Amino acid sequence: MNLNLSAEEEQIVTSVRGALARIAPISRFHRGGDARLTGELRAEAAALGWFGLGLPEEAGGVGCGPIEEMLLYREVGRGLGPVSMLYVSLAAHIASLAGDVSLASELAAGVHGVALVVDDPGGGSRIFDPDGADYAFRLTDGDRADLITLKGAKLDARHSLDKSASMAIGDLSQARVVVGCEDASVRRLAQLGAAAMLVGAAEAMRDMIGEYAKLRQTFGRAIGAYQAVRHPISDMAVRCEAARSQLFVAAICVRDARADCDLQLDAAKTLANVAAVKNADSNIQLHGGIAVTDEHDAHLFMKRAQTLSRLFGAERTLLSRLALASAAN
Amino acid sequence: MDLNYAAADESFRERARAWLQENAPKSPRPAELMAAGAYDRAWQRKLHDGGFAGLNWPKAFGGRGLSVVQQMIWFEEVARARAPALNSTLIGLQHGGPTLIVHGSDAQKAFHLPRILSGESIWCQGFSEPGAGSDLAALRTRGTVEGDELVVNGQKMWTSFAHFADYQELLVRTDPDAKRHAGLSWVICDMKSPGISIQPIKNMMGETHVNMVFYDDVRIPLSNVVGGLGNGWKVAMSTLSIERALAFLPDQIDMLEKVERLTELARRVRLETGKLAIDDDEIRRKLGRLRAETLAMRAMTISNISGLERDGQLGPEGSIAKLFVSTGYKALSELAGEILGYEFLEYGEDRTTNRWTFEFMWSWVLTIAGGSSEIQREIIADTLLQLPRAR
């Protein structure tokens, strides 16, 4: 019974945080930079072992598990690394679980870009991050996870709110499945990774406004001395702590394949959604005018929160499942 | 990181479960105050004889010296067995006793600790005053040294169970010239002392277990001062930090069960729209959110216990947990009211007449007592976020 990070786990956090700030600093969003997962960035992340972190060594991976992947993606969320890094990791898991070791190794080595395909409630498919992607992955009812090829697919490009991603719509119903598997661990790792990125982002926003509140002066004192400012920041900290604790519990449940794993994951994603979306609101509001300018980072986190809160568990689905979860859980 | 219990923890759980099944009282705690006091004493006596008294106290002082994890297991098993919670025995076991263990003299420890453990002594608290709640250091009850006695005059507020308590942990101002935190003393007050009068406060739930306590030339031997004259603030703070570390564990555990009961209620009750409550989208979403929050409360508890085991103390995380649990409790009781409709209004001045309506009103006690939500936000802002202060 222990939720403390071990020395090795702390080490992962520190090294990922430092490396991400070097290879994909948040400043890349500004002044015409490319915030997406470019081929170059993919190669650098692969060299750090990130895409194969949770893969077995025989599939070109590092041999760690869900805890380490959760810690990695929490840092990716904190530093606004591209969301599609998670898609590459998940595609490698699909290939590995399907027994295609060579494809898994290529994915872990950052050779391929990977997109995410979801059903659009209005019909057709919505594709997240198709730019430069060779494959896309799709989670369907139950535990089915497929990797499909995007070669020759006719996609209709759309704008993307989060500039670290691209977006398209199209009909992928006839797309060829390259590999696939029937394994709950893919959707679980997807939900865990998305929740982790949201928690990291929520924590970054708490820290961003916390620092600013010490510096910015109004009416002769730092704004952090006013209860109208410090109390909402305290609430941001409460949301972070609740979401982080639940995220850690969910990660352990995934690793140990505990019976209540899906329930714990749904709770983790729910709290992560709330923490990131609400902290994004407070962060902008408490910063004041500067936060609605393009040059500030606050809107980047808000856009990230809006994106990730819709993926791998949106509010309505999660809350309905949680409400109807049997007492046996 | 793991969620597994050590073998010793599992075997403690088995022992606790078996003992509780055998020994938990079959009859509920009586509503009448003095009968409730007798019930609490009898239960504490039974716990003591069964080897389950003073779980968090060191063995050297007659306690069990259990790890925090095993204390959590105990609270879980008490809830599972529907055995009595800490009621009037709480102050002695969780505040007064632990404070004496740290700051008390050998004579104070030798006399009081065994009596607290066995249920012979019930303790109450005398900290808050009409003008000193959140700002405890503003307290004005005077203790004047006369010979080898302290003569106490003033008034305390919110003292639970004062009617049948034997002793009180009493915080008084012994040096009127010293500023605020300085000049306070923590003393053991015998509640049978001449000059003490008790006036019950009827709360909005219709109950009267909290009181105002008045002191008119109450004479307390100086040997009852704990930790030395003028050191009361330091002594009291050690008590309050003990309170924050684990005080909300039973509430957190209760919440899990309350969400289950509320879900059952929602499957039974029809709304004014004619729908079953569980089929109403809004109610379903609120229930889902509560279940997620309740799971997170448990996760936060495990996280705090892990930190406590590692660092030996709990920082502002205690305030975070208090805010989160009390806010969740409020949302839960509001949702119960929404589901119950007209039935919510059937309340007869005592908690047994309508449990959910009682919970609804009780939720304000949780967000105000033990440091209001606003004070918790101040503590988080000061200590965790290190924000500038205006105070």
Side-chain angles (χ1 to χ4, degrees), chain A residues 44-226:
Chain A
E44 289 188 274
L48 290 160
W50 291 356
F51 299 130
L53 190 63
L55 285 192
E57 287 172 37
E58 38 306 358
V62 180
C64 292
I67 306 280
E68 291 80 2
E69 283 197 45
M70 175 274 286
L71 294 173
L72 164 68
Y73 284 106
R74 179 167 162 235
E75 293 313 312
V76 171
R78 191 189 312 279
L80 288 181
V83 174
S84 63
M85 290 175 67
L86 177 64
Y87 309 158
V88 180
S89 284
L90 293 168
H93 276 290
I94 295 171
S96 170
L97 288 163
D100 191 336
V101 172
S102 82
L103 181 56
S105 303
E106 283 176 27
L107 286 158
V111 175
H112 306 287
V114 177
L116 163 70
V117 181
V118 297
D119 288 341
D120 206 310
S125 296
R126 191 163 287 267
I127 303 98
F128 289 86
D129 251 291
D131 288 8
D134 299 328
Y135 302 106
F137 81 101
R138 184 169 62 196
L139 303 176
T140 35
D141 291 348
D143 296 331
R144 185 80 212 156
D146 289 315
L147 206 54
I148 61 178
T149 176
L150 284 181
K151 272 197 199 93
K154 273 209 161 27
L155 301 180
D156 177 6
R158 314 301 281 185
H159 296 297
S160 172
L161 177 70
D162 183 339
K163 296 295 178 228
S164 79
S166 55
M167 197 186 287
I169 54 174
D171 180 5
L172 289 175
S173 54
Q174 303 304 314
R176 186 173 64 85
V177 174
V178 181
V179 287
C181 64
E182 197 81 42
D183 195 310
S185 67
V186 183
R187 76 171 157 75
R188 286 176 181 160
L189 289 171
Q191 202 174 345
L192 184 67
M197 285 195 270
L198 286 161
V199 169
E203 290 171 330
M205 291 185 272
R206 170 202 63 196
D207 295 341
M208 188 190 293
I209 188 61
E211 285 312 305
Y212 189 65
K214 292 174 190 163
L215 302 174
R216 170 70 179 178
Q217 304 270 324
T218 50
F219 304 106
R221 59 161 89 136
I223 60 171
Y226 294 104

Side-chain angles (χ1 to χ4, degrees), chain B residues 64-138:
Chain B
R64 309 310 302 171
L66 295 188
S67 67
V68 192
V69 172
Q70 290 188 3
Q71 292 175 51
M72 180 180 82
I73 290 173
W74 171 257
F75 283 125
E76 286 178 346
E77 291 304 317
V78 165
R80 188 175 184 277
R82 295 177 196 272
L86 289 167
N87 283 300
S88 58
T89 56
L90 182 136
I91 298 292
L93 288 164
Q94 304 287 64
H95 299 198
T99 303
L100 290 184
I101 287 171
V102 178
H103 300 286
S105 68
D106 288 344
Q108 289 165 346
K109 286 189 273 204
F111 180 83
H112 288 289
L113 296 181
R115 287 172 170 77
I116 293 172
L117 286 175
S118 68
E120 186 182 335
S121 293
I122 299 279
W123 281 52
C124 61
Q125 193 173 54
F127 286 6
S128 297
E129 295 182 6
S134 293
D135 182 11
L136 185 56

Side-chain angles (χ1 to χ4, degrees), chain A residues 203-264:
Chain A
E203 290 171 330
M205 291 185 272
R206 170 202 63 196
D207 295 341
M208 188 190 293
I209 188 61
E211 285 312 305
Y212 189 65
K214 292 174 190 163
L215 302 174
R216 170 70 179 178
Q217 304 270 324
T218 50
F219 304 106
R221 59 161 89 136
I223 60 171
Y226 294 104
Q227 293 182 332
V229 173
R230 68 206 322 257
H231 287 195
I233 305 177
S234 293
D235 288 332
M236 291 171 79
V238 173
R239 288 192 285 266
C240 284
E241 195 53 20
R244 183 198 60 79
S245 304
Q246 184 60 29
L247 176 71
F248 282 17
V249 164
I252 297 169
C253 291
V254 172
R255 180 193 65 193
D256 299 349
R258 293 175 83 100
D260 61 349
C261 165
D262 290 324
L263 178 70
Q264 298 287 0

